[in-house]
Amino acid sequence: MAFQLTDDYLNTSDGNAMSVDDRIKNAFAVDGKVSYKGKQYDSEVELRKLLIKEGVIETDNTSTDVIKKAASTLLGLFLVVGLSTLLFACNGNSKSNVNVPTEYCEELVKLAEEGNAEAQANLGICYAKGEGVSPSNEEAVKWFKKSSEQNNAKGQFYLSMAYNRGMGVSQDWEESIRLMKKSANQGFAKAQSQLGGLYEYGLMNTPKNHQEAMKWFEKAAKQGDPDGQMNVGLEYYGNEDFNEAVKWFEKAVAQGDVGAHHFLGLCYFFGQGVEQDKMRGYNLVKQAAEQGDPAAIKSFNRMKSELYGTY
């Protein structure tokens, strides 16, 4: 029988010194299964994703092991959310003609209609985002397909995202993964980063493979992709190579990555890989918290309590 996990059991203010992390471990140790809020969980990872989302698990504990585990599961959430929204982003690298307009305009439409694959991908993005033209998933997919058929990496990637979510086309994870791999193998950084996420967390029925995941994260990171940089940073952080972790977090922070602000802030606050600077760490975490990162909000409140005596 699955262990019935309750909020009361997770409440660390009950006088028991056991941490939330230990309570979760003990719950799974009973029968290998845990029931929480009407749903059964067969692994700690899946349950931790929910608990982080709800703010139950904190990532500001001074214990490196606890932070490392929370960071890993939190990143899984970032990747899941990313897969549902990335169609509307226009980031990434492309080896196609960089002079092709990215905004909706007559020149872009003309080039797309003439068969320019990069223009077709960019026009599809305009329709997906509704920038300069009425939003239309169907029109977006039409242009992504035209671009993809010419083996354009950007077109393949965004068509992959459309199949992933069933936006303008019937949902088809197998086709989504096929296109994502083609795009990644051509060097499209966003595809490489997302492919890494699939392998790391076993998303879209992909077998988990940490080594394969890191291969793609590193490829994306070296091209300047902030998601890839964040993942590489967390890998070093988990291995307690804080100097390298800080290097990659800083690269991602420079591009505005919210999660990187949080974890770089933790490094400064606790003096991990850098000279300890609690105020700098506090301000970095504050920036992430102000953008709604639930884990950063928890860390920010703890830091505020330590620095100013208020919670």
Side-chain angles (χ1 to χ4, degrees):
M1 178 181 293
F3 182 92
Q4 299 296 312
L5 189 66
T6 66
D7 289 331
D8 287 338
Y9 178 78
L10 293 172
N11 184 1
T12 56
S13 63
D14 60 2
N16 189 322
M18 188 183 300
S19 68
V20 172
D21 192 66
D22 288 334
R23 292 172 194 234
I24 295 172
K25 282 184 173 297
N26 286 354
F28 275 96
V30 175
D31 192 40
K33 300 178 181 179
V34 168
S35 178
Y36 180 68
K37 293 188 175 182
K39 182 177 179 181
Q40 182 170 298
Y41 295 85
D42 298 322
S43 74
E44 290 185 39
V45 171
E46 293 303 316
L47 178 58
R48 288 176 190 278
K49 289 179 183 179
L50 173 66
L51 295 177
I52 289 176
K53 184 177 181 181
E54 294 189 348
V56 176
I57 294 179
E58 301 171 3
T59 60
D60 54 359
N61 191 301
T62 54
S63 166
T64 299
D65 187 54
V66 173
I67 295 175
K68 174 177 63 178
K69 292 173 182 175
S72 177
T73 51
L74 177 62
L75 186 60
L77 280 178
F78 289 159
L79 287 165
V80 172
V81 172
L83 285 171
S84 69
T85 60
L86 195 54
L87 180 59
F88 297 101
C90 188
N91 299 325
N93 304 59
S94 175
K95 294 183 178 180
S96 301
N97 187 355
V98 295
N99 295 319
V100 172
T102 57
E103 73 284 353
Y104 186 85
C105 59
E106 290 184 8
E107 182 185 359
L108 178 63
V109 174
K110 182 175 182 293
L111 287 171
E113 291 177 342
E114 290 175 348
N116 183 292
E118 180 76 359
Q120 291 168 340
N122 290 344
L123 183 57
I125 292 171
C126 289
Y127 275 109
K129 298 172 68 177
E131 291 192 351
V133 65
S134 297
S136 171
N137 290 332
E138 289 71 22
E139 278 294 307
V141 166
K142 181 184 82 173
W143 291 107
F144 291 149
K145 282 184 174 180
K146 288 179 180 292
S147 178
S148 178
E149 287 168 358
Q150 297 193 65
N151 205 34
N152 179 272
K154 182 187 288 187
Q156 290 167 342
F157 174 67
Y158 284 102
L159 183 57
S160 168
M161 291 294 97
Y163 276 113
N164 168 256
R165 296 298 297 172
M167 300 172 71
V169 67
S170 296
Q171 187 177 53
D172 186 336
W173 283 359
E174 184 176 343
E175 181 66 4
S176 176
I177 293 173
R178 185 187 73 84
L179 289 163
M180 189 182 299
K181 287 181 176 179
K182 289 190 70 173
S183 179
N185 281 318
Q186 291 197 75
F188 195 72
K190 279 297 178 185
Q192 293 171 337
S193 183
Q194 291 297 314
L195 185 57
L198 297 190
Y199 281 114
E200 182 71 1
Y201 296 98
L203 303 175
M204 293 167 60
N205 299 324
T206 302
K208 291 184 179 181
N209 186 327
H210 180 69
Q211 184 176 359
E212 188 72 7
M214 289 311 304
K215 179 186 82 173
W216 291 109
F217 285 146
E218 288 172 358
K219 286 178 180 291
K222 289 176 180 178
Q223 290 197 71
D225 178 74
D227 290 334
Q229 292 167 344
M230 174 67 175
N231 275 277
V232 172
L234 283 176
E235 175 72 3
Y236 282 114
Y237 193 95
N239 292 327
E240 298 188 17
D241 186 344
F242 299 121
N243 291 330
E244 279 295 307
V246 167
K247 182 182 79 173
W248 289 105
F249 288 151
E250 286 180 336
K251 290 178 182 292
V253 164
Q255 299 190 68
D257 187 273
V258 177
H261 276 80
H262 179 199
F263 287 101
L264 183 60
L266 292 175
C267 288
Y268 273 103
F269 197 85
F270 297 120
Q272 297 169 318
V274 291
E275 183 177 350
Q276 188 174 36
D277 186 337
K278 289 192 173 184
M279 282 307 303
R280 183 172 182 179
Y282 171 83
N283 288 326
L284 282 164
V285 172
K286 181 180 179 182
Q287 291 178 50
E290 288 175 342
Q291 294 187 59
D293 184 330
I297 292 171
K298 286 285 186 178
S299 297
F300 173 68
N301 285 333
R302 290 291 188 184
M303 291 176 177
K304 186 177 181 180
S305 177
E306 179 175 334
L307 293 173
Y308 301 107
T310 58
Y311 190 86

